[in-house]
């Protein structure tokens, strides 16, 4: 038929080439790759920022950074970049884009063009943020941007305004991405792939996207109020005009607490896939795992004020937030124990992705127990705003998320590039990184208990010892990260070819049924999941 | 638990030994310190007691997970266990690992909430101290002692006297009586600050437009140091807190002396010069 011929002609089997392939891309794999590249670029910037302040903090006294505003800008920029431009793009934009359609047997995302715009909005946001850092003193407000410090009186430069606009763009990008992922997951699953048979990574992305959709608009509203406070004479957060700086903290943390789950939930998903694959067992307690993520997402919205225990809350309010916060330990406990139970009785190959998954569990448990400590408002007096908090959230959220990203990278790089990573170097990367981050962050627990505040460029001499150790850890971590980039280059240039299913019997999800590297278009004929076993 | 902890961290033992005199030897951190500063107020004592219980639980949980992971690594690697089991459910196990954490959390919540309500505020304050944050120094007001008022600024490194700790010493320290229930009222003149002293278990925001309340009772005479604990701008790291606790009699004597010393309240010009001095502090 003429019709069929036309369809075949301008159908989807030709691949655009050159810059058009990337700039105009509507292909979920290409966009996923771009997100991962953006995440790597940002990681270098954000990592070098932290290296600068670790260099400064290595010894007491002022060594390198005599401009303390610049120091504060580094701390602020490190936080923003790592949260919005490293972890979120890699997890949600990168692995989410690449593997949600592959895992549910969909040919692409539901809204391919929207996918394109959400990537390029984020790229624009990154540029804006970097410009903000060097504009009229930059935002030295911390990533929490608390007014009045962030108001026009105390930060008169346009750096804060550019930072706000950057977050607006990043937020718009996230909302569009979230809409796309939710629609794709709810509507485009292969026939027979019911919700309760979806791989846990898809579940984790679904819950994350719902959190994004609910939390980001609150941030956007708060940022707009701050912008009008700064530029158009409103006084939402200005006491002199009847406003209240604490209102900002409520709005920010109503977004900010779900945000940390937005970061860690996709990590849960990746770890579940990896643990199940290398144990050669289906995930233990699949339904409990899925519903634990939903529970974590829900509780995440009703505990925000545990970031604000020292603002002078009524004591009964604090009592509520203590109780609600402690409850989070129950679903997270279920996840930890279920991963252990998945491994129990397994026949485990300790390949690099699995090593990173085990490392993730250790870091997450470490950060989890210190989290239970911080949940107690009475005791939090001793910890709030000290390096103990820094150590806690780097263990539980930051480094744990990075571990999941490395785990996902080694797990899926064969599918994405068709090539095998260098096995020995990858192991060296794991061990050096593991030693590096623990030497880096473990001493920060001690510094915090001894009373060292966060966000200071110099410290009383008593804190010199552990700060020195911590900085050594930072240098080990940096070296290990450099090794990682060498591994990426080596894999892409000279890695050996891998089979379609390089992990064997344990890898049961749909992405392992397509060729490696995954062809430009996949699942043009929908796979029939009615007959297959549940793709846990 | 207290004892084990002190055995593990000998620095603390030394601190406790030398601290047994009448003046408190703690009040600031020691090199290589891994634990809390010694407690010098009832609130901090209770915080440390609660932490001792919680720390045991934390360590137990971490060890439990590590032991399970070690068994998994030894028993369930591909060599030792070539055929994986297919077990994916065990209702009893799942009920246990849901309910046991709930019980543990309830056991934590009860003492935690008791501690919280204890730290909140004092019902029968014997005196009041107002703490006002400024970029980047503290102002103190003694409303029960004729509104005695003064500012407290950091001593720059090059002006330190022998024995004054760097980044913790100030020109006018706060003087408070020991064994007295003191109501603390916090506010700020500009951005949010946080007046915190680790050894006294104090940390609360100084928020502009609000007055926050907490309390302290200092057990022993001595010097207690803290630092601003909420990012407040360029010199956030350079507005330390120094409390000198003295006997009640010495405190009365000090207030008389201080009234004269601070009688000539800073004129606006004076204050501007001193603040400019602080702002210039290492900002070159």
């Amino acid at each position: 038929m003429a019709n069929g011929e036309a369809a075949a002609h301008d159908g989807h089997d030709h691949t655009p080439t050159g810059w058009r392939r990337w700039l105009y891309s509507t292909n979920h794999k290409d966009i996923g790759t771009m997100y991962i590249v953006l995440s790597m670029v940002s990681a270098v910037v954000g990592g070098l920022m932290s290296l600068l302040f670790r260099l400064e903090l290595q010894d007491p006294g002022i060594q390198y950074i005599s401009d303390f505003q610049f120091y504060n800008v580094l701390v602020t920029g490190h936080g923003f970049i790592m949260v919005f431009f490293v972890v979120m793009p890699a997890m949600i934009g990168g692995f989410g884009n690449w593997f949600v359609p592959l895992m549910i047997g969909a040919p692409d995302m539901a809204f391919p063009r929207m996918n394109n715009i959400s990537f390029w909005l984020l790229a624009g946001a990154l540029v804006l943020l970097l410009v903000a850092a060097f504009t009229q003193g930059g935002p030295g407000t911390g990533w929490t941007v608390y007014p009045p410090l962030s108001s026009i009186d105390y930060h008169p430069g346009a750096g804060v305004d550019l930072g706000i606009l950057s977050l607006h763009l990043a937020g718009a990008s996230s909302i569009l991405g979230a809409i796309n992922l939710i629609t794709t997951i709810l509507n485009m699953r292969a026939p027979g792939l019911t919700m309760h048979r979806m791989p846990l990574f898809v579940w984790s992305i679904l819950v994350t996207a719902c959190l994004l959709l609910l939390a980001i608009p609150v941030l956007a509203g708060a940022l707009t109020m701050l912008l009008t406070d700064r530029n158009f004479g409103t006084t939402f957060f200005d006491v002199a005009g009847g406003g209240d700086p604490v209102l900002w903290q409520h709005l920010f943390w109503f977004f900010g607490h779900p945000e940390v789950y937005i970061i860690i939930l996709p990590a849960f998903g990746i770890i579940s896939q990896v643990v199940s694959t290398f144990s050669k067992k289906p995930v233990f307690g699949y339904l409990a795992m899925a519903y634990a993520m939903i529970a974590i997402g829900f509780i995440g919205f009703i505990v925000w004020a545990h970031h604000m225990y020292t603002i002078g809350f009524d004591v009964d309010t604090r009592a509520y937030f203590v109780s609600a916060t402690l409850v989070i330990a129950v679903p997270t406990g279920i996840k930890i124990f279920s991963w252990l139970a998945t491994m129990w009785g397994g026949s485990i190959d300790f390949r690099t992705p699995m090593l990173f998954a085990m490392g993730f569990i250790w870091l997450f448990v470490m950060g989890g127990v210190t989290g239970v400590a911080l949940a107690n408002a009475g005791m939090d007096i001793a910890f709030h705003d000290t390096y103990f908090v820094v150590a806690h959230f780097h263990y539980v959220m930051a480094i744990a998320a990075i571990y999941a990203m490395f785990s996902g990278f080694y797990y899926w790089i064969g599918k994405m590039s068709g090539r095998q990573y260098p096995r020995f170097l990858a192991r060296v990367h794991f061990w050096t990184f593991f030693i590096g981050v623990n030497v880096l962050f473990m001493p920060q627990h001690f510094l915090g208990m001894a009373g060292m505040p966060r966000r200071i460029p110099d410290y009383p001499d008593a804190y010199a010892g552990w700060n020195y150790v911590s900085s050594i850890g930072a240098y080990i971590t940096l070296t290990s990260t450099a090794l990682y980039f060498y591994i990426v280059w080596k894999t892409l240039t000279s890695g050996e070819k891998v089979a379609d299913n390089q992990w064997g019997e344990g890898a049961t999800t749909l992405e392992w049924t397509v060729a490696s590297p995954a062809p430009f278009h996949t699942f043009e004929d929908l796979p029939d999941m009615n007959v297959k076993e549940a793709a846990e | 638990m207290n004892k084990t902890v002190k055995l593990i961290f000998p620095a603390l033992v030394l601190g406790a030994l030398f601290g047994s005199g009448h003046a408190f030897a703690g009040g600031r951190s020691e090199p290589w310190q891994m634990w809390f500063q010694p407690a010098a107020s009832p609130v901090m004592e209770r915080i440390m007691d609660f932490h001792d219980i919680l720390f045991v639980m934390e360590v137990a949980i971490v060890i439990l997970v590590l032991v399970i992971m070690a068994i998994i690594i030894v028993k369930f690697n591909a060599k030792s266990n070539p055929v994986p089991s297919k077990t994916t459910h065990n209702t009893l196990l799942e009920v246990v690992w849901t309910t046991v954490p709930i019980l543990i959390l309830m056991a934590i919540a009860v003492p935690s909430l008791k501690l919280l309500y204890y730290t909140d505020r004092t019902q029968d304050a014997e005196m009041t101290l107002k703490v006002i944050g400024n970029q980047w120094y503290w102002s103190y007001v003694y409303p029960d002692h004729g509104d005695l008022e003064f500012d407290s600024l950091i001593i720059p490194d090059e002006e330190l006297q022998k024995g004054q700790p760097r980044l913790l010493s100030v020109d006018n320290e706060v003087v408070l009586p020991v064994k007295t229930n003191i109501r603390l009222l916090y506010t700020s003149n500009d951005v949010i600050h946080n007046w915190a002293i680790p050894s006294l278990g104090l940390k609360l925001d100084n928020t502009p437009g609000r007055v926050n309340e907490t309390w302290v009772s200092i057990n022993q005479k001595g010097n207690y140091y803290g630092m601003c604990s909420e990012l407040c701008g360029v010199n956030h790291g350079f507005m330390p807190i120094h409390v000198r606790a003295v006997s009640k009699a010495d405190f009365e004597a000090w207030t008389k002396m201080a009234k004269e010393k601070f009688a000539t309240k800073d004129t606006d010009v004076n204050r501007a010069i001193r603040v400019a001095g602080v702002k210039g502090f290492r900002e070159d």
Side-chain angles (χ1 to χ4, degrees):
Chain A
M1 250 171 80
N3 239 355
E5 220 181 301
H9 182 69
D10 61 19
H12 299 277
D13 37 340
H14 76 280
T15 310
T17 52
W19 58 271
R20 282 188 182 81
R21 170 172 175 187
W22 303 100
L23 186 65
Y24 296 165
S25 181
T26 52
N27 179 290
H28 73 102
K29 301 184 191 80
D30 281 357
I31 293 174
T33 303
M34 288 198 290
Y35 267 112
I36 292 172
V37 171
L38 179 125
S39 163
M40 286 177 173
V41 172
S42 315
V44 172
V45 179
L48 288 179
M49 284 176 157
S50 62
L51 182 76
L52 277 180
F53 56 75
R54 260 343 300 173
L55 268 172
E56 176 55 59
L57 293 171
Q58 179 187 311
D59 298 301
I62 297 299
Q63 274 76 235
Y64 308 100
I65 308 173
S66 54
D67 177 354
F68 300 150
Q69 174 68 14
F70 180 63
Y71 181 90
N72 289 345
V73 170
L74 283 180
V75 172
T76 310
H78 171 73
F80 276 138
I81 288 182
M82 288 305 191
V83 168
F84 289 98
F85 299 98
V86 177
V87 178
M88 286 172 65
M91 297 269 200
I92 306 162
F95 295 137
N97 251 311
W98 250 100
F99 293 104
V100 163
L102 283 181
M103 281 179 156
I104 63 174
D108 205 307
M109 297 285 279
F111 307 117
R113 291 184 186 198
M114 197 162 86
N115 207 4
N116 176 291
I117 193 69
S118 48
F119 172 77
W120 286 111
L121 281 176
L122 191 69
L126 178 60
V127 173
L128 257 184
L129 187 69
L130 295 177
V131 172
F134 295 100
T135 303
Q136 297 175 344
T141 57
W143 88 289
T144 48
V145 208
Y146 282 1
L149 183 60
S150 58
S151 68
I152 197 84
D153 292 338
Y154 302 100
H155 261 89
V160 175
D161 300 301
L162 288 172
I164 290 172
L165 293 175
S166 163
L167 290 191
H168 262 316
L169 282 192
S173 155
S174 291
I175 291 174
L176 295 180
I179 292 170
N180 212 343
L181 284 162
I182 293 171
T183 313
T184 307
I185 294 169
L186 291 185
N187 295 304
M188 295 176 66
R189 296 189 312 276
L193 187 66
T194 59
M195 293 290 278
H196 282 172
R197 294 175 71 190
M198 287 194 316
L200 281 173
F201 177 69
V202 180
W203 264 113
S204 74
I205 292 288
L206 177 63
V207 177
T208 304
C210 293
L211 295 192
L212 276 172
L213 206 56
L214 294 170
I216 296 277
V218 178
L219 174 71
L223 285 171
T224 308
M225 289 155 81
L226 188 59
L227 201 63
T228 61
D229 265 19
R230 287 177 56 82
N231 298 293
F232 304 112
T234 58
T235 54
F236 293 111
F237 309 121
D238 181 3
V239 175
D244 183 0
V246 174
L247 171 64
W248 166 269
Q249 300 185 24
H250 280 287
L251 294 173
F252 181 84
W253 286 114
F254 188 83
F255 146 80
H257 196 73
E259 174 65 26
V260 303
Y261 293 156
I262 285 163
I263 285 173
I264 206 64
L265 281 170
F268 288 169
I270 294 172
I271 299 304
S272 295
Q273 304 303 138
V274 169
V275 164
S276 158
T277 298
F278 293 95
S279 307
K280 306 190 191 87
K281 278 179 66 189
V283 171
F284 188 96
Y286 167 84
L287 277 184
M289 287 291 254
Y291 283 93
M293 284 194 282
I294 295 173
I296 291 169
F298 174 75
I299 301 169
F301 277 104
I302 54 170
V303 295
W304 73 92
H306 67 213
H307 297 269
M308 306 156 57
Y309 281 149
T310 65
I311 65 152
F313 264 141
D314 181 77
V315 67
D316 296 329
T317 314
R318 276 177 287 164
Y320 158 73
F321 280 106
V322 170
S323 316
T325 303
L326 287 174
V327 172
I328 300 172
V330 176
T332 44
I334 291 175
K335 298 215 63 97
I336 295 282
F337 290 125
S338 298
W339 285 320
L340 294 175
T342 307
M343 291 189 257
W344 194 272
S347 173
I348 306 174
D349 285 325
F350 289 101
R351 315 287 289 269
T352 306
M354 188 63 183
L355 290 180
F356 273 104
M358 307 259 317
F360 170 91
I361 295 174
W362 150 255
L363 289 166
F364 192 72
V365 169
M366 273 295 300
V369 294
T370 54
V372 171
L374 290 168
N376 301 286
M379 190 170 68
D380 184 61
I381 292 172
F383 293 128
H384 182 91
D385 208 71
T386 68
Y387 261 82
F388 191 89
V389 177
V390 177
H392 157 72
F393 71 72
H394 276 92
Y395 264 92
V396 79
M397 177 187 96
I399 298 302
I402 298 285
Y403 262 60
M405 282 156 59
F406 282 140
S407 182
F409 175 84
Y410 287 114
Y411 183 57
W412 281 317
I413 187 63
K415 185 54 63 186
M416 293 191 286
S417 70
R419 291 173 186 274
Q420 169 70 46
Y421 57 82
R423 293 183 181 86
F424 175 73
L425 284 181
R427 276 168 190 275
V428 175
H429 171 223
F430 168 77
W431 285 109
T432 50
F433 204 78
F434 187 77
I435 293 165
V437 294
N438 281 292
V439 173
L440 170 53
F441 291 112
M442 186 63 84
Q444 296 187 357
H445 289 115
F446 312 145
L447 288 170
M449 285 192 79
M452 179 176 163
R454 304 166 64 178
R455 295 164 166 171
I456 53 174
D458 191 7
Y459 45 80
D461 303 345
Y463 301 123
W466 290 121
N467 266 302
Y468 186 81
V469 175
S470 182
S471 286
I472 298 296
Y475 310 145
I476 300 174
T477 310
L478 177 84
T479 315
S480 179
T481 310
L483 173 66
Y484 166 72
F485 281 104
Y486 175 72
I487 290 172
V488 174
W489 179 74
K490 195 90 180 137
T491 309
L492 297 181
T493 53
S494 59
E496 51 194 273
K497 299 261 183 273
V498 292
D500 294 353
N501 181 358
Q502 64 181 124
W503 306 123
E505 54 171 312
T508 54
T509 39
L510 276 173
E511 79 266 33
W512 305 108
T513 62
V514 303
S516 289
F520 199 65
H521 295 294
T522 39
F523 297 125
E524 285 171 308
D525 298 313
L526 297 184
D528 186 1
M529 295 298 284
N530 285 307
V531 284
K532 275 206 164 188
E533 238 181 272
E536 299 174 356
Chain B
M1 182 54 212
N2 234 336
K3 276 181 189 133
T4 7
V5 166
K6 282 183 181 169
L7 282 175
I8 301 169
F9 306 107
L12 255 192
V13 179
L14 288 176
L17 282 177
F18 291 110
S20 52
H22 61 280
F24 192 72
R28 61 189 166 105
S29 56
E30 300 293 322
W32 297 103
Q33 183 174 329
M34 300 169 81
W35 210 246
F36 288 126
Q37 297 176 22
S41 76
V43 166
M44 194 58 202
E45 281 169 356
R46 280 171 171 76
I47 287 176
M48 287 172 76
D49 288 346
F50 176 67
H51 185 268
D52 286 346
I53 307 169
L54 198 65
F55 188 70
V56 177
M57 293 185 183
E58 289 173 26
V59 171
I61 291 167
V62 171
I63 289 178
L64 173 74
V65 172
L66 280 183
V67 167
I68 296 175
M69 282 172 79
I71 296 173
I72 287 169
I73 291 169
V74 173
K75 270 187 75 176
F76 299 113
N77 61 66
K79 262 190 207 141
S80 328
N81 190 33
V83 183
S85 90
K86 289 291 166 200
T87 314
T88 58
H89 293 285
N90 185 324
T91 309
L92 178 67
L93 205 54
E94 291 180 60
V95 169
V96 167
W97 72 45
T98 309
T99 49
V100 170
I102 292 175
L103 295 176
I104 293 175
L105 290 172
M106 280 159 72
I108 292 173
V110 173
S112 170
L113 295 178
K114 263 171 86 172
L115 170 68
L116 173 63
Y117 280 85
Y118 181 77
T119 61
D120 187 41
R121 58 186 60 178
T122 180
Q123 295 303 326
D124 42 358
E126 294 165 66
M127 64 169 279
T128 298
L129 173 72
K130 281 193 205 167
V131 181
I132 303 156
N134 306 275
Q135 277 183 326
W136 290 271
Y137 63 98
W138 299 99
S139 304
Y140 300 103
V141 182
Y142 291 71
D144 303 329
H145 301 85
D147 273 340
L148 173 62
E149 181 179 356
F150 59 90
D151 297 337
S152 177
L153 285 79
I154 189 173
I155 300 177
D157 289 7
E158 51 277 12
E159 291 168 29
L160 284 175
Q161 308 286 314
K162 204 170 182 290
Q164 286 185 320
R166 201 176 69 87
L167 298 181
L168 293 174
S169 301
V170 295
D171 54 358
N172 301 313
E173 73 273 22
V174 189
V175 178
L176 289 172
V178 294
K179 297 195 171 63
T180 309
N181 274 342
I182 303 164
R183 175 191 291 126
L184 297 168
L185 298 178
Y186 285 55
T187 191
S188 165
N189 281 329
D190 39 49
V191 303
I192 302 172
H193 302 270
N194 186 310
W195 200 73
I197 302 176
S199 52
L200 297 178
L202 284 173
K203 190 173 285 156
L204 191 63
D205 281 0
N206 300 71
T207 310
R210 288 185 174 225
V211 177
N212 288 331
E213 179 182 342
T214 186
W215 71 287
V216 69
S217 167
I218 307 170
N219 292 342
Q220 267 179 307
K221 291 191 274 186
N223 291 295
Y224 303 95
Y225 296 92
M227 298 168 82
C228 179
S229 292
E230 180 60 59
L231 179 62
C232 61
V234 175
N235 284 328
H236 165 56
F238 307 95
M239 46 184 294
I241 296 151
H242 176 190
V243 169
R244 182 157 57 87
V246 297
S247 69
K248 289 187 184 186
D250 287 351
F251 176 72
E252 292 307 323
W254 176 82
T255 50
K256 288 197 185 76
M257 191 277 289
K259 259 175 221 160
E260 280 169 34
K261 184 180 171 189
F262 300 113
T264 45
K265 273 196 181 164
D266 274 353
T267 62
D268 285 349
V269 177
N270 249 338
R271 184 181 290 239
I273 291 168
R274 295 175 61 201
V275 173
V278 169
K279 277 186 178 155
F281 180 68
R282 291 211 205 154
E283 217 186 333
D284 41 349

